[in-house]
Amino acid sequence: MDDAALSATSDQDLLAGHVEGDPDAFGELVRRHRDRLWAVALRTLGDREEAADAVQDALVSAYRAAHTFRGQSAVTTWLHRITVNACLDRARKAASRKTSPVDDAERLDQLLEPHESAEAPAERQDLHRELIAALATLPPEQRAALVLVDMQGYPVAEAARVLDVPTGTVKSRCARGRARLLPLLTHLRTDAGAGGDNKALGGGRNRTPGASVPPASGAKDAGPSDPAAVKGGGGRA
């Protein structure tokens, strides 16, 4: 299938084509959704290398489990669910090791999106650093819910499908997460003024899902249609 035909094919048909043996179909799915998967992983884990590994784990899992997709949700929801599960697995393992990736100021600098590092005022960069550090103090499940709803702009119902939990659970996780973040971010809200309430969490629900952060070196170049070329192997379908 040529590039024009691939671009015009729906996600569900691409996944079906992959199952049927089309060597290019899964690569097109990755091209379409990689940036948003990367943004969710990076903001959930707060560490560039861990996020890259989580996305790779998720892509391998999706590649291998494509035949189990039954169309009960959108393909993008299915991919996000696998990615979030891979992130939560890594976050729990990191917590058990009692390590904190946000202690390294150099790594915090790497978390800033390239356009923010180059163009945004210093105040925005400082806010982003403090927000990432504050998010890292939350339990992984609360962190994932807040990243999806407050930073990526997903409706609660969609976030619930991604996380595979009831909408009430997403709402309660977000509420508890915000309550825990409030003491850590009150000074940021004060500095931002009356309009800075939810903006500290990345723009609120009206933000268009997506990210301009490219995957770390290796994640972008690995051939997604060849499992042997993709690092990792975890995640849950």
Side-chain angles (χ1 to χ4, degrees):
M1 191 180 296
D2 59 30
D3 290 345
L6 281 173
S7 298
T9 304
S10 70
D11 287 351
Q12 191 160 344
D13 287 343
L14 283 172
L15 197 60
H18 162 63
V19 173
E20 293 168 1
D22 186 332
D24 301 317
F26 194 79
E28 173 64 15
L29 278 175
V30 172
R31 184 194 67 78
R32 290 181 186 180
H33 300 290
R34 179 181 55 210
D35 282 354
R36 281 187 288 178
L37 298 178
W38 167 254
V40 168
L42 183 61
R43 286 164 172 158
T44 301
L45 291 169
D47 180 277
R48 196 177 184 86
E49 293 181 3
E50 285 286 306
D53 286 344
V55 172
Q56 295 286 54
D57 289 351
L59 291 178
V60 170
S61 292
Y63 183 97
R64 293 172 175 168
H67 66 283
T68 68
F69 180 76
R70 295 292 178 262
Q72 296 175 337
S73 63
V75 172
T76 184
T77 300
W78 180 73
L79 290 172
H80 275 76
R81 181 182 302 139
I82 295 173
T83 301
V84 169
N85 282 336
C87 290
L88 293 179
D89 283 343
R90 287 185 170 273
R92 293 184 189 108
K93 290 175 182 176
S96 69
R97 294 194 301 267
K98 297 182 180 180
T99 60
S100 176
V102 297
D103 289 339
D104 189 335
E106 183 175 347
R107 287 189 177 182
L108 284 176
D109 288 338
Q110 293 174 356
L111 295 179
L112 296 176
E113 298 180 8
H115 69 276
E116 287 188 343
S117 297
E119 300 172 9
E123 292 81 1
R124 173 64 180 171
Q125 296 183 33
D126 291 342
L127 184 151
H128 200 154
R129 289 189 186 94
E130 294 194 47
L131 174 59
I132 292 296
L135 280 170
T137 68
L138 298 179
E141 290 80 4
Q142 292 177 18
R143 192 187 319 164
L146 279 177
V147 166
L148 289 172
V149 174
D150 283 352
M151 298 187 75
Q152 292 302 110
Y154 286 95
V156 170
E158 181 68 11
R161 287 191 287 270
V162 169
L163 297 171
D164 199 21
V165 297
T167 56
T169 300
V170 174
K171 290 178 181 178
S172 64
R173 287 178 181 176
C174 286
R176 291 197 301 269
R178 292 182 192 117
R180 293 182 65 157
L181 288 179
L182 184 59
L184 303 176
L185 300 178
T186 298
H187 64 291
L188 299 180
R189 296 175 63 190
T190 302
D191 292 343
D197 190 17
N198 273 343
K199 292 180 181 178
L201 287 176
R205 292 176 178 79
N206 293 326
R207 175 170 176 163
T208 300
S212 61
V213 186
S217 177
K220 181 176 181 180
D221 297 328
S225 60
D226 179 6
V230 185
K231 181 180 177 183
R236 294 192 296 273

